């Protein structure tokens, strides 16, 4: 069916209104958080750079976890048992 031919029932329409309101609240909260960071002296470029670096860090961490997992399988131990050998904290 085409979007025009679809007529949501009252419950579906109410659910959509609630979802829209929730998204508006989230948008406002994010705008406020950005304004707070800007007022603290951060620039949008700096925030973008931090986000980019966090993504890169997470990708590297995931690769390291994968390698530790493969090594653990080869050695027949748990990944947790390898942490001390490589001076890693469990929170790493």
């Amino acid at each position: 069916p085409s979007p025009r031919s679809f007529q949501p029932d009252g419950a579906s329409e109410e659910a959509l209104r609630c979802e829209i309101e929730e998204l508006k609240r989230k948008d406002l909260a994010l705008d406020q958080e950005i304004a707070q960071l800007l007022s603290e002296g951060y620039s949008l470029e700096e925030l973008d750079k931090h986000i980019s670096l966090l993504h890169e860090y997470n990708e590297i961490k995931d690769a390291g976890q994968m390698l530790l997992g493969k090594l653990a399988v080869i050695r027949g131990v748990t990944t947790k048992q390898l942490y001390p050998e490589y001076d890693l904290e469990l929170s790493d």
Side-chain angles (χ1 to χ4, degrees):
S2 72
R4 287 179 181 250
S5 66
F6 177 72
Q7 297 294 321
D9 62 18
S12 296
E13 194 171 316
E14 183 60 27
L16 287 174
R17 281 193 187 108
C18 289
E19 187 175 347
I20 289 169
E21 287 306 312
E22 179 61 26
L23 290 171
K24 286 179 180 178
R25 284 190 291 274
K26 287 181 180 179
D27 184 49
L28 179 60
L30 288 171
D31 285 345
Q32 290 171 341
E33 189 175 341
I34 289 170
Q36 174 68 32
L37 290 168
L38 292 174
S39 73
E40 292 173 6
Y42 293 98
S43 68
L44 290 177
E45 294 79 21
E46 185 178 10
L47 295 173
D48 285 342
K49 180 66 174 171
H50 283 275
I51 291 169
S52 176
L53 290 171
L54 282 171
H55 284 297
E56 184 177 349
Y57 167 81
N58 285 328
E59 289 173 6
I60 292 168
K61 183 178 176 182
D62 289 345
Q65 289 293 329
M66 184 182 66
L67 290 172
L68 276 176
K70 290 182 182 278
L71 184 58
V73 168
I74 290 169
R75 292 188 181 177
V77 298
T78 65
T79 304
K80 183 179 177 179
Q81 291 171 310
L82 293 175
Y83 274 58
E85 185 176 337
Y86 295 98
D87 294 322
L88 298 171
E89 299 290 326
L90 287 178
S91 60
D92 288 342

